[in-house]
Amino acid sequence: VTDYKMPGMDGMMLATRVRELYPRTIIFMLTAYGSDELREQAAQIDIQAVLDKPVKLAEIRAATHKALQQTESKKDPPDNPPV
């Protein structure tokens, strides 16, 4: 979870670096500066959710649930499925 506006490095730069080092990491970005352009940039580097401040706990839960479901569906099938 990162904020968009931070001193020294913005959330996009951080997310890009995390994506390079740890490509399977789930990334959420919080922002008070939400826009279609920001969401398009976030989608290009596979940020799972851009949440507008103030963020409600229910929004974080829903984004987390959705991201975990997507992660589960991307997992490789087991080598020896149960019979």
Side-chain angles (χ1 to χ4, degrees):
V1 177
T2 184
D3 198 351
Y4 175 62
K5 292 275 186 171
M6 300 183 295
M9 175 186 290
D10 70 23
M12 286 296 181
M13 291 172 62
L14 175 63
T16 299
R17 185 72 177 137
V18 169
R19 188 62 64 227
E20 290 170 359
L21 296 172
Y22 308 100
R24 296 179 63 186
T25 300
I26 295 170
I27 302 172
F28 297 153
M29 183 176 296
L30 308 180
T31 185
Y33 307 95
S35 67
D36 290 339
E37 182 180 342
L38 177 64
R39 283 174 170 68
E40 288 173 18
Q41 291 173 349
Q44 289 175 2
I45 56 174
D46 197 25
I47 292 177
Q48 280 71 22
V50 176
L51 304 172
D52 293 317
K53 293 179 185 178
V55 181
K56 295 180 181 178
L57 183 57
E59 293 174 284
I60 295 171
R61 285 182 177 151
T64 302
H65 182 72
K66 181 179 177 181
L68 290 173
Q69 284 182 323
Q70 291 173 345
T71 301
E72 286 296 317
S73 68
K74 290 180 184 179
K75 283 187 176 179
D76 295 329
D79 291 333
N80 298 313
V83 178

